[in-house]
Amino acid sequence: MVSYLVSLVIFTAIYAIFSLGLNLQWGFTGLINFGHVAFMTVGAYATVLPSNGGVPLVLAALIGGGLAAFLGLLIGFSTLRLREDYLAIVTIGVSEVIRLIALNEEWLTRGAFGIQRFPLPLENFRPTLFSRYVMIGILTAIAIPAFWQLWKWAKRRLQKVGTLLDAGLILTAVCAALTLWLYGVCAIALYNFSDNPSRNGLMLVSLIVLALVFWRLEWLVQSPWGRILKAIREDEEVAKALGKNVFWYKLQSLMLGGFIAGIAGALFAWQLSTVYPDNFLPLLTFNAWTIVVLGGAGNNVGTILGSVIFWAYLTITRYLPDLLKVIHGVIPVVPPTVDDARLGAFRIMLIGLILIVLMMARPQGILGKKEELTLGR
Amino acid sequence: MVDKSPKSPDFPTDVAAETQGESLADVLSEVEDIGTSMAPSQLPLLAAGGLVKSFGGIRAVDNVSIEVAKGSITGLIGPNGAGKTTLFNLLSNFIHPDKGRVLFDGEPIQNLQPHQIAQRGMVRTFQVARALSRLSVMENMLLAVQKQTGENFWNTWFRGKQIRAEERQQKERAMTILESIGLAHMANEYAGALSGGQRKLLEMGRALMANPQLILLDEPAAGVNPTLINQICDRILTWNREGITFLIIEHNMDVIMSLCDRVWVLAEGRNLAAGTPAEIQTNSQVLEAYLGQ
């Protein structure tokens, strides 16, 4: 159970990092990037291949992120002069090209055979009791600011609505309880680090990376640099008229978002511990879009929350067969089993339905600001 | 003008190469050809000559010249479709001219990118005011500040303290300007929540935050109630006294006549006349163009 949850935490963190990159590009800069998975593909391969050649893992991951940023530079130079809808078409094309290169350039990527064996972070680390406490300490240091934010938010909300029976407050309480529970699970996993060193180590690494990326992005988007990105999202002609080099800032946004997705790609490869071209289907891009839209575009906390909800949904619907059996016991008309292919399709259908209902009820996303929708251009 | 072939907007360097051969005097003599008198000692802040721009078969701007003296408030008028806004777009290089040259502060600028022109101190506003809706009024103002330390990605990593200090300082300045245009109480609201007239004011205030030498105003009084028009005129005069030059497109003749030192008239994409407001008011050609006789 603990190892399953740890795995879930890793996936959630990786998807959150991946989606934060997209949120920078789309939520803050307004670039419609439908090929975000391309950065992840480059990041994954460019991490795994050098590390197999003996390059230290941290350096390999930075190479992965760097090459993904370089891909952003190439895409940017060739497409950023296009109107936004064309950018969407070109980026989705690029992501398929990258995947097909990975599939066909067998001398480099071993093609469809994939890469099965490569070094994983902390896999040979056998911590002493003290270093395990240090790791739990790091985990706590990440958890405390998260709780502090939740607490501040709840306090503000309570002052505003004046009652505890409020959807926002209940959601906050659920989040807090969930976080506390996961914190406990992760702490136990770190205490029993040697049960599965590579998995437990990756959990800590992913959370540290997520915390760092989130913290830097929050500061960046509030800095004058981020203000220019937001201005470009609103109206790039105004940014130009006020002396901002719009093309250059779009390029920076695309590259930084690509770098972040590249790092997510490195973590993704470590988590899967194998790399196949089929791991990087365009569906991943649209999962990231779902996450960003769910949480509220242009909101980093929302993106992380979106990732949590997305993975909670995927996990819960894994138990649909069991649920079906229970329902069959009560209402015999419902069939006791459904084949896996149909069930898979049903899960995707359901998340589409949830997204539609959410967009009708809260078009701005869960944490988006409603006022923004009522503004004139 | 000696340009022989129409220039594609993609290759502004061609124009640049040609311009360097031309002296300022050539441009200015051309400007004088269309009937303005100018003190030879005082170079204009902005001078443009022989500007041509075609859209398909239509010559929206046809061999137009204009000059704006330093410290002046210059008006640009003309019937609808005369090419005034296109001329603004050509001056600020939002649209690249087919032919012609633009000198700002004595240097050719028609081969520069729009943002580079703004950085040199010539800031434009738009006919339909463009507020950045989902940014606050204060953020709109702060965006306009030039050469901010925090605009550089790496500086955001290593110079947090300096960035915060600059932000504080600029916020104070922005507040002063917002107070002067009566928007101080809206500072933390979304700019998208402002009314049309308030957006016009915000756009002017924002242009001022950039510390420009020259502000191009495209119809500052359009769609604005009379009280607010007075306020806008008042602001323009105050800022002009503080040393900022203005070039204003406006259909409201009261505004033009009360503000401007000099007025240029366009009609059907060509220069029609130029002179003091009093001269323009009695110019039969101008009256004909406006009244269609």
Side-chain angles (χ1 to χ4, degrees):
Chain A
M1 184 65 178
V2 167
S3 77
Y4 178 66
L5 285 173
V6 165
S7 182
L8 203 61
V9 168
I10 298 173
F11 269 122
T12 308
I14 292 172
Y15 269 57
I17 297 165
F18 182 55
S19 306
L20 281 174
L22 181 68
N23 191 33
L24 177 71
Q25 294 167 344
W26 181 62
F28 287 104
T29 325
L31 301 171
I32 303 184
N33 173 10
F34 276 173
H36 200 46
V37 72
F39 299 120
M40 189 179 230
T41 318
V42 169
Y45 275 101
T47 304
V48 164
L49 293 172
S51 69
N52 262 347
V55 175
L57 281 178
V58 174
L59 193 60
L62 287 178
I63 292 174
L67 276 183
F70 181 68
L71 177 71
L73 184 77
L74 291 183
I75 297 176
F77 258 110
S78 48
T79 61
L80 277 183
R81 290 175 203 277
L82 297 178
R83 235 177 50 203
E84 45 200 35
D85 32 2
Y86 293 97
L87 179 66
I89 296 167
V90 173
T91 46
I92 196 170
V94 168
S95 78
E96 278 299 83
V97 167
I98 296 285
R99 187 176 66 84
L100 291 174
I101 289 173
L103 190 62
N104 289 296
E105 297 302 313
E106 294 182 356
W107 60 273
L108 182 67
T109 63
R110 296 181 28 90
F113 297 111
I115 305 166
Q116 275 90 4
R117 187 75 202 109
F118 45 82
L120 301 173
L122 303 180
E123 63 180 334
N124 300 319
F125 183 51
R126 296 288 176 274
T128 59
L129 186 65
F130 175 71
S131 46
R132 279 182 286 168
Y133 279 134
V134 169
M135 288 195 289
I136 294 174
I138 294 172
L139 184 72
T140 315
I142 294 171
I144 286 175
F147 278 115
W148 178 242
Q149 278 302 320
L150 277 173
W151 170 245
K152 271 206 306 197
W153 197 85
K155 225 167 64 177
R156 262 213 313 274
R157 181 81 195 171
L158 186 63
Q159 275 170 3
K160 211 169 108 189
V161 293
T163 165
L164 282 169
L165 291 170
D166 168 66
L169 278 175
I170 292 167
L171 186 77
T172 316
V174 171
C175 274
L178 192 74
T179 319
L180 194 63
W181 178 53
L182 285 176
Y183 167 76
V185 168
C186 293
I188 291 169
L190 286 177
Y191 188 77
N192 300 321
F193 191 86
S194 307
D195 290 357
N196 192 346
S198 64
R199 186 54 40 95
N200 294 336
L202 186 59
M203 179 263 291
L204 189 63
V205 170
S206 313
L207 287 177
I208 292 172
V209 172
L210 175 61
L212 283 178
V213 167
F214 173 76
W215 172 65
R216 279 316 303 182
L217 278 179
E218 276 294 287
W219 159 233
L220 267 174
V221 298
Q222 282 163 27
S223 73
W225 185 84
R227 192 159 56 216
I228 295 176
L229 297 193
K230 286 186 266 184
I232 292 171
R233 175 190 71 194
E234 296 300 308
D235 191 334
E236 60 177 83
E237 299 291 294
V238 170
K240 263 187 222 166
L242 295 174
K244 313 302 173 197
N245 189 345
V246 168
F247 178 75
W248 174 226
Y249 280 96
K250 278 184 174 177
L251 203 58
Q252 289 182 53
S253 167
L254 202 60
M255 286 174 71
L256 182 61
F259 177 83
I260 293 168
I263 297 290
L267 297 169
F268 195 54
W270 291 335
Q271 163 70 351
L272 299 175
S273 71
T274 50
V275 179
Y276 296 100
D278 272 4
N279 295 141
F280 305 103
L281 292 172
L283 181 65
L284 251 73
T285 302
F286 294 100
N287 287 343
W289 275 85
T290 309
I291 287 169
V292 171
V293 171
L294 261 177
N299 187 320
N300 290 326
V301 180
T303 302
I304 294 175
L305 183 66
S307 179
V308 171
I309 292 172
F310 182 81
W311 278 95
Y313 168 82
L314 284 187
T315 315
I316 291 166
T317 53
R318 273 166 69 109
Y319 298 102
L320 269 181
D322 300 328
L323 185 68
L324 217 53
K325 274 184 201 126
V326 175
I327 295 176
H328 175 70
V330 183
I331 315 165
V333 187
V334 178
T337 53
V338 176
D339 63 279
D340 283 352
R342 282 196 197 179
L343 204 63
F346 180 71
R347 288 166 80 189
I348 295 174
M349 197 183 89
L350 205 59
I351 199 163
L353 196 67
I354 291 174
L355 208 54
I356 291 171
V357 171
L358 178 84
M359 286 299 101
M360 288 166 77
R362 272 189 86 83
Q364 71 276 26
I366 296 171
L367 293 187
K369 296 196 183 90
K370 191 151 202 174
E371 311 90 283
E372 293 191 346
L373 292 176
T374 61
L375 300 174
R377 285 298 300 174
Chain B
M1 280 303 135
V2 288
D3 295 22
K4 282 157 205 90
S5 58
K7 294 294 175 293
S8 150
D10 295 329
F11 299 100
T13 41
D14 288 8
V15 184
E18 274 183 58
T19 315
Q20 275 151 10
E22 295 263 335
S23 70
L24 179 62
D26 290 345
V27 177
L28 296 185
S29 67
E30 173 128 355
V31 169
E32 274 174 315
D33 284 346
I34 54 165
T36 65
S37 57
M38 183 186 64
S41 62
Q42 197 184 11
L43 292 177
L45 183 60
L46 178 74
L51 286 172
V52 175
K53 182 70 199 177
S54 304
F55 298 116
I58 297 168
R59 284 205 147 190
V61 169
D62 188 2
N63 203 22
V64 167
S65 304
I66 192 168
E67 72 186 42
V68 178
K70 202 164 195 157
S72 71
I73 300 178
T74 304
L76 178 61
I77 63 171
N80 288 323
K84 304 181 297 294
T85 297
T86 309
L87 180 60
F88 259 32
N89 283 330
L90 296 180
L91 292 175
S92 54
N93 219 359
F94 271 69
I95 298 174
H96 198 75
D98 297 336
K99 281 185 197 172
R101 54 217 62 208
V102 184
L103 295 186
F104 178 64
D105 213 9
E107 283 174 51
I109 57 167
Q110 77 271 32
N111 54 325
L112 296 180
Q113 295 287 320
H115 69 265
Q116 292 172 314
I117 293 177
Q119 284 166 0
R120 290 196 174 200
M122 174 169 141
V123 174
R124 64 165 302 179
T125 67
F126 296 90
Q127 188 168 8
V128 177
R130 292 180 158 189
L132 302 165
S133 292
R134 286 186 288 168
L135 265 59
S136 72
V137 169
M138 179 53 85
E139 281 179 303
N140 266 271
M141 297 292 281
L142 293 177
L143 177 75
V145 178
Q146 299 297 305
K147 295 191 184 123
Q148 299 175 58
T149 312
E151 286 181 348
N152 180 300
F153 177 75
W154 297 113
N155 285 351
T156 62
W157 288 78
F158 303 115
R159 299 208 192 157
K161 217 172 170 185
Q162 190 183 344
I163 292 170
R164 286 197 189 89
E166 264 177 41
E167 288 279 288
R168 258 197 310 276
Q169 193 189 343
Q170 294 299 343
K171 255 181 201 163
E172 270 174 34
R173 199 171 140 239
M175 259 341 252
T176 319
I177 294 176
L178 283 176
E179 267 159 27
S180 76
I181 55 178
L183 290 178
H185 63 291
M186 302 289 278
N188 295 318
E189 304 289 327
Y190 284 115
L194 297 181
S195 73
Q198 287 174 322
R199 284 175 195 219
K200 288 265 175 204
L201 283 168
L202 172 63
E203 240 196 353
M204 283 166 50
R206 198 169 61 187
L208 194 73
M209 275 302 279
N211 248 339
Q213 295 188 64
L214 172 65
I215 298 181
L216 308 184
L217 292 177
D218 198 343
E219 299 199 23
V224 174
N225 73 55
T227 327
L228 208 50
I229 289 182
N230 286 338
Q231 202 186 337
I232 288 174
C233 290
D234 193 44
R235 282 297 104 209
I236 293 174
L237 281 174
T238 312
W239 292 336
N240 180 246
R241 274 197 294 274
E242 286 165 12
I244 293 169
T245 310
F246 285 91
L247 175 61
I248 303 175
I249 293 180
E250 188 48 65
H251 279 300
N252 185 326
M253 282 306 140
D254 294 336
V255 171
I256 288 288
M257 296 308 156
S258 64
L259 286 183
C260 296
D261 309 315
R262 195 160 192 89
V263 180
W264 292 71
V265 189
L266 292 190
E268 290 168 3
R270 294 199 178 88
N271 284 97
L272 189 69
T276 62
E279 286 164 14
I280 293 299
Q281 256 173 327
T282 53
N283 185 312
S284 60
Q285 273 182 305
V286 174
L287 293 175
E288 202 175 297
Y290 263 96
L291 302 174
Q293 281 161 359

